[in-house]
Amino acid sequence: MSRAAIRYAKAILDNAISSNKAEMVNNDMKLIVSTITGNKELKTFLESPVVKQHFKQAAVEEIFSGVEKDTKSLFQLLAENARFEILSKVASQYSILYDNNIGVETAYVTTAFPINSEIEAKVLAKVAEFSDKKIKIKNKIDESIIGGFVLRGGDKQYNASVAYRLNELKREFIK
């Protein structure tokens, strides 16, 4: 994550907290991330060095016309500093900072298939060992782990994947 995106996100979060709109701005930021991620043309448009900042600002304000005033102030700030290419990163970073501010931590769970309630319960039990915060789980699918899960939260990782266990056995036999 770029340092500039973190700085912009912190500034917007501070503004949103002082105006008691932090949760609503967080919803705006999630919308911005999903919209830009899901629309390649918009992403290319915002990242283009050829397109003038005022065109980017006008387009973004039209697309996100229903967002909070604090979110719109981000658009103005990015236009003034010619930084629209980091809008998605700022929005993503805002959500992370917001979650940290309200005591929620995101745990990233990699599984070979979509997570079910049984695995989610195991993961949440394991996460309780890492953190005393409220946990939000994000699931990533990676068939190469064969089965089980890999849990990453903060700077810690717990690997309970079949592929990892097989590699451990392989190392034991090689010794």
Side-chain angles (χ1 to χ4, degrees), residues 124-175:
L124 287 172
K126 198 59 171 168
V127 171
E129 296 174 18
F130 292 142
S131 176
D132 56 352
K133 292 183 177 182
K134 184 179 174 202
I135 302 299
K136 178 170 66 172
I137 294 179
K138 288 201 176 186
N139 186 216
K140 177 184 171 194
I141 310 300
D142 180 359
E143 294 176 359
S144 71
I145 69 168
I146 303 171
F149 62 89
V150 177
L151 171 64
R152 214 178 77 246
D155 60 349
K156 297 181 176 125
Q157 178 172 306
Y158 176 76
N159 195 334
S161 69
V162 173
Y164 177 74
R165 301 277 192 246
L166 289 172
N167 281 332
E168 280 186 331
L169 283 172
K170 184 178 173 182
R171 282 192 291 272
E172 285 295 317
F173 286 126
I174 292 173
K175 286 183 183 181

Side-chain angles (χ1 to χ4, degrees), residues 45-58:
F45 174 78
L46 292 174
E47 292 175 353
S48 173
V50 177
V51 179
K52 302 276 186 235
Q53 293 300 311
H54 66 275
F55 289 127
K56 291 178 183 181
Q57 182 179 3

Side-chain angles (χ1 to χ4, degrees), residues 12-22 25 70 94 98 101:
I12 296 302
L13 180 61
D14 289 344
N15 274 351
I17 288 172
S18 67
S19 63
N20 289 324
K21 303 261 186 193
V25 172
D70 291 327
Y94 179 95
Y98 174 77
N101 188 57

Side-chain angles (χ1 to χ4, degrees), residues 81-127:
N81 296 306
R83 298 302 305 262
F84 262 106
E85 74 280 358
I86 65 170
L87 174 60
S88 182
K89 291 176 182 164
V90 172
S92 178
Q93 188 62 43
Y94 179 95
S95 290
I96 292 167
L97 293 172
Y98 174 77
D99 283 348
N100 287 339
N101 188 57
I102 62 169
V104 174
E105 187 173 335
T106 302
Y108 298 91
V109 181
T110 305
T111 55
F113 48 85
I115 197 168
N116 61 28
S117 58
E118 179 185 335
I119 291 178
E120 186 172 346
K122 287 180 183 178
V123 168
L124 287 172
K126 198 59 171 168
V127 171

